[in-house]
Amino acid sequence: MSLPESATRYDIARTLGDTRALTLTRRQRRGGPVVDQAGMSATLTLSDRASGAALATLSTANAGIAPLDASGVIAIDLGHAAYVALPAGAYSYRLDTVEAGETRPLLRGTWRVVA
C-alpha cells in the first residue's frame, strides 16, 4: 500500500541492541503546541525494502507504542520482542495514527538498525 505524500519523510538510525524507547513529540506546527492525541492509536510497521513485506509491527494495541495522550509524545518501545528480533539492516517504515477511525500517515522513510 503506498502512502499519500502527506506522510513526512524522516529517516531513522538506531544501534542494534539499544532498547531505549524512541520518543517523538508531535506538534501542530514547528515550535507550536503539541497535538492532543487522547483517544488515538498508532502503528509502526517496519518492512523489507525490496519486497515491502511487513517484518515487525509495533502499536498501541500490542504495547509496542505507549498509549497516546495529551502530551503529544509517541513513545516507541525498542525493547519490544517484535523489534529486537530484527537483525541489523535497512528497512522501510511507516508510522500511522488512527483518529476517529481514520488512518493518517504521519512518518515514513528508511529505518536503519546499525551493528
Side-chain angles (χ1 to χ4, degrees):
M1 174 170 126
S2 65
L3 287 177
E5 288 302 314
S6 61
T8 300
R9 179 154 183 90
Y10 184 75
D11 295 334
I12 296 171
R14 299 296 293 199
T15 303
L16 183 65
D18 182 359
T19 58
R20 293 176 293 166
L22 173 64
T23 58
L24 307 167
T25 301
R26 191 170 168 205
R27 298 189 176 277
Q28 294 176 19
R29 63 185 174 283
R30 184 174 292 222
V34 297
V35 173
D36 181 348
Q37 301 176 117
M40 296 178 160
S41 62
T43 301
L44 171 72
T45 305
L46 293 138
S47 302
D48 180 86
R49 290 180 61 189
S51 70
L55 301 174
T57 301
L58 305 177
S59 69
T60 49
N62 71 9
I65 299 176
L68 303 180
D69 59 24
S71 70
V73 172
I74 298 173
I76 301 166
D77 178 9
L78 300 185
H80 191 275
Y83 182 79
V84 298
L86 293 172
Y91 306 91
S92 60
Y93 83 93
R94 74 176 193 219
L95 176 62
D96 296 326
T97 58
V98 177
E99 178 181 7
E102 184 177 334
T103 300
R104 296 182 176 160
L106 184 60
L107 297 175
R108 65 184 170 91
T110 300
W111 187 296
R112 295 186 191 283
V113 179
V114 183

